[in-house]
């Protein structure tokens, strides 16, 4: 199977090299900007990460901006990587905040010693031209209880001030979020910490704040979760915690959160480091990395020259009981082409692996099989994603979520990426897969009607 057919049509992928976390998500003067962690020289060992950049006028058709770094790790304060960060649109442009990571040469544990975590600001008039790099914070500026792991700033304005949250690991090896306050977004002071009452992992990466309808959520990526019953043995997880009613991250003081209220953003194999932003229409949109640190499965089989992709933009809304719902941004429907109907026990073959499959009323248990290799199944109690062909799953096995009633199901198939959404976006599963046949076969078992659209290519002509 030529690698070209694994290149996605509407999930962002690097031209070559390695991609991880989405960074700097924003909309400026109508244009959407998605930056991301990028190592163009991957698989060269120790290729440091900087930021790559995509832009779009409609969230569907994307162009890669330049063919290298948008932010290169080219100063001594980011010698081991220009790490993750965010964007804050301001009058006359945008501010980009990110972490410079420096690992000193020597015999260090790189937790308590040998590492520097520096917060850096770049101002840009338009998201394309980058101003100078200003160091805002160094390790000596963080509270004394922190190790050297302090990174991934998320910044916003509210309550007449600027606020920043940073992911951190403390000297007891507990994950937490630092809160900082500023009058101008440049000079910062410590303003407390948000932690769970019980230990919840050794480090929290990529913190984010979601504010919807007067409530707030703290999104975190806790590391060290492999022994939790729900973690499928995987160390790093991505989810969110509701703040107590009336609380906000944009206020000085410590916050204690209830770890038992933690919910996963996504139940699939490949989802980490999501970031949200509010676009110019006021929608909260989320993009996740469809990859995992240290995953025990393969994401670049057969010596592919690029690794990992991002999820489609997902619109986030508040659901019942503290849940956040995620639905693919409605703009994606613009890529829908030929429409097919697939009834009970039907089968469909499409020329390409790009499809939007929709079921909006469920008559009973169902199973959708993609290429006879990946099964998406609801049996009345659970929604499951199961690889039945390991050559296609490349080490991915099965993922399930309790689901006593299935109301709707949507499956986006895009070359080597699949995203599944169910029940108004209460459940999401993101997974990579590496189909071996040039055409996509969809088989349906059950009594329901699936509508399938062939999907166009939003990346065509980009490279
Ligand atoms: C999460 C992460 C971040 C860091 C970045 C480096 O995947 O480890 O904490 O900023 O990736 O690429």
């Amino acid at each position: 199977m030529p690698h070209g057919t694994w290149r996605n049509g509407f999930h962002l992928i690097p031209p070559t090299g390695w991609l991880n976390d989405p960074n700097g998500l924003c909309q400026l003067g109508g244009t959407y900007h998605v930056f991301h962690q990028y190592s163009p020289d991957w698989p060269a060992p120790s290729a440091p990460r900087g930021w790559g950049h995509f832009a779009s006028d409609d969230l569907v058709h994307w162009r890669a901006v330049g063919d290298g770094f948008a932010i290169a790790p080219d100063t001594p304060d980011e010698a081991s990587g220009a790490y993750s960060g965010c964007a804050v649109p301001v009058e006359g442009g945008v501010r980009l905040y990110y972490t410079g990571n420096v690992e000193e040469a020597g015999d260090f544990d790189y937790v308590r010693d040998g590492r520097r975590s520096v917060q850096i600001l770049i101002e840009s008039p338009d998201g394309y031209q980058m101003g100078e790099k200003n160091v805002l914070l160094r390790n000596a500026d963080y509270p004394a209880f922190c190790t050297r792991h302090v990174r991934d700033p998320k910044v916003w304005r509210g309550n007449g001030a600027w606020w920043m949250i940073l992911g951190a690991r403390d000297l007891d090896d507990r994950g937490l979020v630092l809160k900082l306050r500023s009058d101008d977004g440049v000079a910062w002071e410590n303003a407390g910490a948000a932690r769970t009452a019980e230990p919840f992992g050794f480090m929290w990466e990529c913190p984010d704040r979601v504010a919807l309808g007067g409530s707030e959520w703290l999104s975190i990526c806790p590391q060290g979760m492999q022994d939790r019953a729900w973690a499928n043995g995987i160390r790093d997880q991505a989810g969110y915690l509701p703040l107590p009613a009336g609380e906000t991250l944009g206020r000085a003081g410590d916050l204690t959160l209830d770890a038992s209220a933690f919910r996963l953003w996504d139940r699939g194999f490949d989802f980490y480091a999501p970031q949200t932003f509010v676009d110019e229409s006021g929608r909260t949109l989320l993009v996740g990395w469809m990859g995992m640190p240290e995953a025990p499965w393969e994401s670049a089989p057969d010596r592919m020259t690029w690794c990992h992709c991002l999820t489609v933009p997902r619109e986030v809304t508040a659901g019942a009981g503290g849940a956040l719902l995620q639905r693919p941004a409605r703009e994606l429907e613009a890529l829908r082409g030929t429409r097919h109907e697939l009834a009970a026990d039907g089968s469909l073959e499409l020329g390409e692996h790009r499809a939007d499959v929709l079921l909006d009323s469920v008559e009973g248990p169902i199973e959708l099989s993609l290429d006879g290799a990946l099964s998406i199944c609801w049996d009345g109690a659970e929604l499951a994603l199961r690889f039945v062909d390991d050559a296609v799953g490349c080490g991915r096995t099965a993922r399930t979520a309790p689901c006593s009633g299935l109301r709707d199901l949507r499956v986006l198939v895009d070359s080597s990426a699949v995203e599944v959404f169910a029940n108004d976006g209460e459940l999401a599963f993101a997974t990579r897969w590496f189909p071996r046949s040039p055409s996509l076969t969809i088989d349906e078992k059950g009594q329901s009607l699936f509508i399938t659209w062939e999907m166009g290519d939003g990346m065509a002509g980009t490279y």
Side-chain angles (χ1 to χ4, degrees):
M1 175 96 171
H3 297 164
T5 43
W6 290 337
R7 288 193 70 80
N8 303 326
F10 50 94
H11 285 76
L12 291 172
I13 48 174
T16 58
W18 165 282
L19 166 152
N20 59 301
D21 316 358
N23 293 158
L25 305 181
C26 61
Q27 188 183 19
L28 301 174
T31 301
Y32 288 96
H33 295 269
V34 170
F35 297 89
H36 59 88
Q37 287 288 284
Y38 186 32
S39 277
D41 293 335
W42 177 92
S46 317
R49 287 174 213 167
W51 286 27
H53 186 188
F54 295 98
S56 168
D57 298 322
D58 58 7
L59 277 190
V60 178
H61 299 92
W62 293 93
R63 46 190 184 273
V65 180
D67 56 6
F69 286 126
I71 299 178
D74 57 6
T75 69
D77 286 312
E78 56 200 328
S80 314
Y83 272 13
S84 285
C86 66
V88 185
V90 291
E91 219 176 275
V94 62
R95 289 184 176 187
L96 302 172
Y97 293 87
Y98 69 96
T99 301
N101 179 51
V102 182
E103 289 164 39
E104 317 281 1
D107 183 21
F108 297 115
D109 71 353
Y110 297 104
V111 176
R112 284 159 179 76
D113 224 347
R115 178 188 298 274
R116 292 195 284 127
S117 298
V118 179
Q119 311 312 324
I120 298 173
L121 165 65
I122 294 179
E123 295 188 77
S124 165
D126 52 10
Y128 298 102
Q129 303 166 60
M130 298 295 165
E132 64 190 27
K133 296 177 176 179
N134 298 293
V135 170
L136 305 182
L137 295 158
R138 297 183 184 275
N139 288 85
D141 299 317
Y142 314 130
F145 56 73
C146 291
T147 63
R148 315 293 288 184
H149 279 287
V150 178
R151 60 175 167 270
D152 307 337
K154 173 77 183 201
V155 178
W156 71 99
R157 285 178 291 180
N159 292 339
W162 290 70
W163 299 93
M164 179 190 290
I165 47 178
L166 286 166
R169 170 173 182 166
D170 74 11
L171 292 168
D172 295 326
D173 294 317
R174 286 184 56 176
L176 74 148
V177 155
L178 300 179
K179 296 161 65 184
L180 295 95
R181 183 194 175 283
S182 170
D183 286 326
D184 57 6
V186 179
W188 293 88
E189 62 193 18
N190 289 312
R195 307 168 182 267
T196 44
E198 299 298 318
F200 198 65
F202 63 79
M203 165 73 192
W204 291 359
E205 294 190 310
C206 300
D208 199 354
R209 166 186 172 263
V210 178
L212 288 166
S215 299
E216 276 187 35
W217 290 259
L218 174 65
S219 171
I220 50 171
C221 293
Q223 298 186 290
M225 310 310 286
Q226 60 278 3
D227 295 331
R228 309 265 161 170
W230 44 266
N232 296 298
I234 300 297
R235 187 191 69 177
D236 304 328
Q237 301 285 335
Y240 55 84
L241 292 161
L243 262 59
E247 283 289 1
T248 168
L249 290 160
R251 186 186 298 145
D254 290 336
L255 260 180
T256 304
L257 302 170
D258 174 9
S260 70
F262 182 78
R263 285 177 201 253
L264 294 171
W265 279 110
D266 190 287
R267 306 288 190 135
F269 293 94
D270 298 281
F271 186 92
Y272 194 66
Q275 185 175 106
T276 65
F277 72 109
V278 179
D279 78 357
E280 290 173 345
S281 73
R283 284 183 301 176
T284 296
L285 294 169
L286 173 147
V287 177
W289 173 32
M290 277 183 75
M292 294 294 300
E294 301 190 13
W297 44 79
E298 178 64 86
S299 291
D302 297 357
R303 291 205 287 278
M304 266 165 67
T305 55
W306 59 280
C307 193
H308 300 308
C309 65
L310 300 179
T311 66
V312 297
R314 300 176 176 184
E315 184 171 348
V316 179
T317 54
L324 293 171
L325 311 179
Q326 302 167 75
R327 298 182 189 84
R330 62 190 88 111
E331 283 89 339
L332 280 164
E333 291 165 29
L335 285 180
R336 286 176 174 172
T338 308
R339 181 180 190 278
H340 305 266
E341 289 191 359
L342 194 58
D345 299 329
S347 186
L348 183 66
E349 189 171 335
L350 305 180
E352 312 224 40
H353 281 87
R354 281 201 303 272
D356 185 349
V357 185
L358 183 71
L359 164 72
D360 61 12
S361 81
V362 183
E363 308 290 331
I366 50 124
E367 180 178 3
L368 261 190
S369 163
L370 306 181
D371 280 0
L374 174 59
S375 146
I376 300 157
C377 180
W378 180 66
D379 62 4
E382 272 185 349
L383 185 60
L385 196 68
R386 269 193 201 95
F387 280 96
V388 289
D389 181 348
D390 189 52
V392 173
C394 293
R396 294 162 183 82
T397 50
R399 284 296 164 87
T400 59
C403 179
S404 56
L406 184 68
R407 300 188 297 278
D408 58 79
L409 184 73
R410 183 160 171 204
V411 183
L412 292 175
V413 183
D414 182 16
S415 304
S416 59
V418 175
E419 289 185 75
V420 177
F421 298 89
N423 287 355
D424 296 319
E426 250 170 54
L427 289 174
F429 294 74
T431 190
R432 300 296 304 286
W433 74 323
F434 298 92
R436 301 286 152 169
S437 88
S439 59
L440 169 65
T441 307
I442 307 178
D443 293 302
E444 203 252 278
K445 282 198 208 101
Q447 294 305 311
S448 306
L449 177 76
F450 283 88
I451 300 172
T452 299
W453 288 270
E454 297 179 31
M455 290 290 269
D457 187 349
M459 307 288 283
T462 302
Y463 300 118

